[in-house]
Amino acid sequence: MTDTQLPSAGREWHLTARPVGWPKPEDFALVEAEVPQPGEGQVLVRNKYVSVDPYMRGRMSAAKSYAAPYELGAAMQGGAVGEVVASRAEGIAVGDHVLHFLGWREYAVVDAKQAVKVDPEAAPLSAYLGVLGMTGLTAYAGLLRVASFKEGDSVFVSGAAGAVGSQVGQIARLKGASRVIGSAGSDEKVKLLVEEYGFDAAFNYKNGPVGEQLREAAPDGVDVYFDNVGGDHLEAAIGRLNRDGRVAVCGMISVYNNTEPAPGPRNLARLIQTRGRIQGFLVGDHYDLQPQFVQEVGAWIRSGELKYNETLVEGIENNLEAFFGVLRGDNTGKMIVKL
């Protein structure tokens, strides 16, 4: 693409009001914005796939958190992968594909140092937003480093049919877990966990109290709980923790839209008896594992030992609805928008 063919405008999503409780369509706007030329050390990327993730709900709030809030009236951000259409950066050429963090828009001017070249021949481009991207590394680091997983552990994963959870369960199985248990929000997802992902047991949390269903699925207790949900799942997991059990807190999607603080687990005293440990984590603290992660998980994907699903939504105009779908649990595997 020559300079004369470069786009002058592109569509992008803006946050126009800070949501209270569940986000509403009127809190957002799809606007046409000028596409600037890249400066020295920058590239212009035509986004091909963009990511929508649960953590984005937190960035819509003005509350202090680990990531800066989205600015009102400005383009939102998120993972994206696309094709370079103009470059003023050494080492990145027109036609290269890069992973970066300026999603929610059709075109992005990205600092080259914030862009990572990816190979569309090695894996589908969308995989770099999920199974080989941030969600995959989250699963890998959270299970193996934060939860100190070891061969023979019994592992329980909540939100197990999601992008992170499905990978946690499979990595645990491939690393020699004695038993892998998952919870999900539909009977179809439960079937997927057992039949496709190789979980030993799974249950639909909507079919009855989580504590009772987990007791049945894990008669010998659990050594590791990977928490994507919080709430009654966390309380149930604490109730089933074995001696020296570990809980890695990745997310708590059950409370993200609450307007009042959610009650904490009522059985924290059990941690004294079990010598249990609960630790929260952010994937950004574990990027040193990236080379090891890509090598090991990439090999499992190529061999077919690790399976993954994506829920693809077409069109930038449907980016917001795809995000709402993540909050509702509509996705199986990673929710991705194809532009």
Side-chain angles (χ1 to χ4, degrees):
M1 182 180 279
T2 66
D3 283 0
T4 55
Q5 296 172 303
L6 292 179
S8 59
R11 291 174 293 172
E12 57 187 36
W13 280 97
H14 289 194
L15 185 67
T16 57
R18 301 216 179 272
V20 177
W22 277 86
K24 303 180 294 297
E26 49 268 34
D27 297 328
F28 307 84
L30 181 61
V31 304
E32 185 133 322
E34 183 186 347
V35 176
Q37 301 293 315
E40 195 62 41
Q42 293 184 321
V43 293
L44 174 60
V45 182
R46 180 173 64 235
N47 286 335
K48 290 192 168 184
Y49 296 92
V50 300
S51 178
V52 285
D53 302 278
Y55 79 86
M56 293 172 173
R57 176 62 187 88
R59 295 195 66 187
M60 292 170 189
S61 163
K64 187 173 174 57
S65 184
Y66 62 86
Y70 290 135
E71 291 180 31
L72 293 179
M76 293 190 292
Q77 299 169 347
V81 65
E83 183 181 355
V84 176
V85 295
S87 174
R88 293 189 62 193
E90 209 173 309
I92 302 180
V94 170
D96 284 346
H97 292 84
V98 296
L99 175 68
H100 62 91
F101 210 67
L102 297 180
W104 288 83
R105 69 198 82 186
E106 291 178 305
Y107 291 92
V109 173
V110 184
D111 289 341
K113 60 179 182 292
Q114 304 295 333
V116 177
K117 280 207 287 189
V118 296
D119 183 0
E121 301 298 320
L125 285 175
S126 57
Y128 293 102
L129 293 175
V131 68
L132 283 176
M134 185 175 74
T135 49
L137 182 59
T138 300
Y140 189 87
L143 177 69
L144 301 182
R145 176 178 281 172
V146 181
S148 308
F149 171 85
K150 59 185 185 298
E151 189 177 348
D153 279 345
S154 171
V155 178
F156 171 43
V157 189
S158 57
V164 174
S166 58
Q167 214 157 332
V168 171
Q170 291 183 84
I171 293 171
R173 176 175 55 77
L174 289 163
K175 289 281 192 180
S178 61
R179 188 167 176 79
V180 179
I181 302 139
S183 72
S186 73
D187 293 341
E188 292 76 18
K189 289 180 179 180
V190 166
K191 186 178 178 187
L192 176 80
L193 291 176
V194 175
E195 295 183 2
E196 185 170 342
Y197 295 150
F199 281 59
D200 296 292
F203 60 87
N204 181 347
Y205 66 83
K206 296 175 182 174
N207 286 350
V210 174
E212 291 177 16
Q213 294 196 78
L214 181 58
R215 194 176 304 118
E216 192 174 316
D220 297 322
V222 297
D223 301 300
V224 169
Y225 170 49
F226 194 103
D227 191 14
N228 291 304
V229 174
D232 54 355
H233 281 75
L234 178 56
E235 186 169 293
I238 292 170
R240 297 304 297 158
L241 270 192
N242 291 330
R243 167 79 187 259
D244 299 315
R246 289 88 68 204
V247 176
V249 181
C250 173
M252 294 193 173
I253 199 168
S254 68
V255 303
Y256 286 170
N257 294 304
N258 288 5
T259 54
E260 296 294 326
R266 296 166 294 183
N267 57 350
L268 284 174
R270 195 165 185 278
L271 294 174
I272 303 168
Q273 172 192 342
T274 61
R275 290 74 151 178
R277 163 166 67 84
I278 300 179
Q279 183 176 338
F281 74 100
L282 294 173
V283 67
D285 296 335
H286 302 281
Y287 279 127
D288 61 297
L289 291 176
Q290 179 88 16
Q292 175 186 325
F293 154 71
V294 170
Q295 184 177 4
E296 190 165 22
V297 173
W300 285 331
I301 292 169
R302 286 191 294 276
S303 68
E305 292 173 277
L306 192 147
K307 299 174 171 60
Y308 69 97
N309 278 275
E310 294 173 341
T311 301
L312 270 183
V313 172
E314 297 261 355
I316 185 81
E317 64 278 6
N318 295 314
N319 217 107
L320 183 61
E321 185 52 37
F323 171 67
F324 289 165
V326 168
L327 296 182
R328 292 191 299 260
D330 294 351
N331 55 305
T332 299
K334 184 78 182 76
M335 180 74 91
I336 293 172
V337 181
K338 181 181 181 183
L339 305 191

